[in-house]
């Protein structure tokens, strides 16, 4: 395993491979990076529940920005829909981030799992 350390930067190849995988999934499907990141951070990297959700959200900024640049450059997006959804997303993000600090890790795991099951069923049927 390659590990580079200094005062400000720790490089771990395993984390980069996880990022590569989630970035690929996000780029191909237009989402899913966070859906994969939370369980990966919890189960593989053993990150605490609240921190894994918050970290996944921070990582998604980079996933989305990178994919968006490519989609925008190719004209594969709807400007009006993007702006309208962004307004609601910003408000929802603020509310969700404030609530994250108030719920238990158990509640996060169960509710995230339920949402994942519902999403999977909707995708299949």
């Amino acid at each position: 395993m390659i590990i580079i350390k200094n005062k400000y930067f720790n490089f771990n190849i395993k984390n980069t491979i996880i990022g590569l995988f989630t970035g690929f999934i996000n780029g191909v499907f237009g989402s899913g990076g966070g859906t994969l990141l939370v369980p990966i951070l919890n189960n593989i990297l053993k990150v605490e529940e609240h921190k894994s959700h918050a970290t996944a959200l921070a990582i998604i900024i980079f996933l989305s920005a990178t994919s968006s640049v490519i989609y925008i450059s190719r004209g594969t997006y709807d400007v009006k829909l993007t702006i309208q959804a962004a307004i609601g997303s910003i408000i929802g993000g603020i509310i969700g981030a404030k609530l994250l600090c108030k719920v238990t890790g158990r509640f996060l795991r169960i509710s995230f799992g339920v949402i994942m099951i519902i999403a999977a069923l909707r995708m299949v049927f």
Side-chain angles (χ1 to χ4, degrees), residues 25-124:
I25 296 299
N26 193 73
V28 169
F29 296 111
S31 74
T35 305
L36 294 171
L37 272 170
V38 170
I40 288 171
L41 292 172
N42 287 147
N43 300 318
I44 295 175
L45 299 180
K46 304 299 182 199
V47 175
E48 184 267 326
E49 198 75 37
H50 288 83
K51 190 176 268 189
S52 67
H53 283 263
T55 302
L57 286 169
I59 292 169
I60 290 168
I61 293 167
F62 300 102
L63 289 172
S64 296
T66 303
S67 298
S68 293
V69 167
I70 294 169
Y71 296 145
I72 289 168
S73 70
R74 294 185 178 172
T76 315
Y77 78 110
D78 182 323
V79 177
K80 184 178 176 183
L81 176 60
T82 301
I83 292 169
Q84 291 170 348
I87 292 167
S89 297
I90 291 167
I91 295 166
I94 291 167
I95 294 168
K98 289 183 178 200
L99 287 176
L100 176 68
C101 300
K102 298 178 191 276
V103 298
T104 66
R106 178 172 160 70
F107 175 81
L108 281 174
R109 271 190 311 282
I110 292 170
S111 59
F112 187 73
V114 168
I115 290 169
M116 295 292 296
I117 290 168
I118 292 168
L121 290 172
R122 294 221 27 169
M123 297 284 290
V124 173

